[in-house]
Amino acid sequence: QVQLVESGGGLVQPGGSLRLSCATSGFTFRYSTMTWVRQAPGKGLEWVSGIDSSGNTNYTDSVKGRFTISRDNGKNTLYLQMNSLKPEDTAVYYCAKAGGGRGQGTQVTVSS
């Protein structure tokens, strides 16, 4: 079955960086469109970024120029490099597979 396991979250000061990883199994990763979504405290799910099988990427406006999504098809792993982090980036970050499947999430807290 589809398995998605996020890692790399933590506590970081404003302006800092984190790199999230999502290890996947149970499906053909290299042919799948993948996304990162997040849920801030008390709010709904927000789409953050996506990457298709050709490597084309998209970002929500609030993270453009700060976040970079990438994939390693040899390792079946999705990444999200997050730079210049802001307190409003605080959320649980999930990776998700287009068509179904989402990980358990990893907490990102941006605070001084």
Side-chain angles (χ1 to χ4, degrees), residues 36-95:
W36 287 98
V37 297
R38 65 186 179 185
Q39 187 165 27
K43 296 188 177 181
L45 280 173
E46 176 190 25
W47 177 85
V48 174
S49 181
I51 183 168
D52 66 14
S53 59
S54 297
N56 299 305
T57 60
N58 282 291
Y59 301 91
T60 191
D61 285 347
S62 63
V63 308
K64 283 181 180 177
R66 300 189 298 121
F67 290 11
T68 303
I69 190 172
S70 63
R71 64 193 301 157
D72 185 333
N73 291 335
K75 295 182 178 180
N76 294 334
T77 301
L78 180 72
Y79 301 100
L80 186 68
Q81 177 67 44
M82 306 186 296
N83 299 329
S84 302
L85 282 161
K86 304 176 180 180
E88 51 263 44
D89 295 318
T90 294
V92 178
Y93 284 72
Y94 302 89
C95 68

Side-chain angles (χ1 to χ4, degrees), residues 4-62:
L4 305 166
V5 180
E6 302 94 338
S7 62
L11 173 63
V12 63
Q13 291 186 343
S17 298
L18 284 173
R19 188 194 195 201
L20 306 184
S21 298
C22 175
T24 76
S25 62
F27 63 101
T28 308
F29 177 79
R30 65 183 178 274
Y31 296 139
S32 298
T33 292
M34 301 295 297
T35 66
W36 287 98
V37 297
R38 65 186 179 185
Q39 187 165 27
K43 296 188 177 181
L45 280 173
E46 176 190 25
W47 177 85
V48 174
S49 181
I51 183 168
D52 66 14
S53 59
S54 297
N56 299 305
T57 60
N58 282 291
Y59 301 91
T60 191
D61 285 347
S62 63

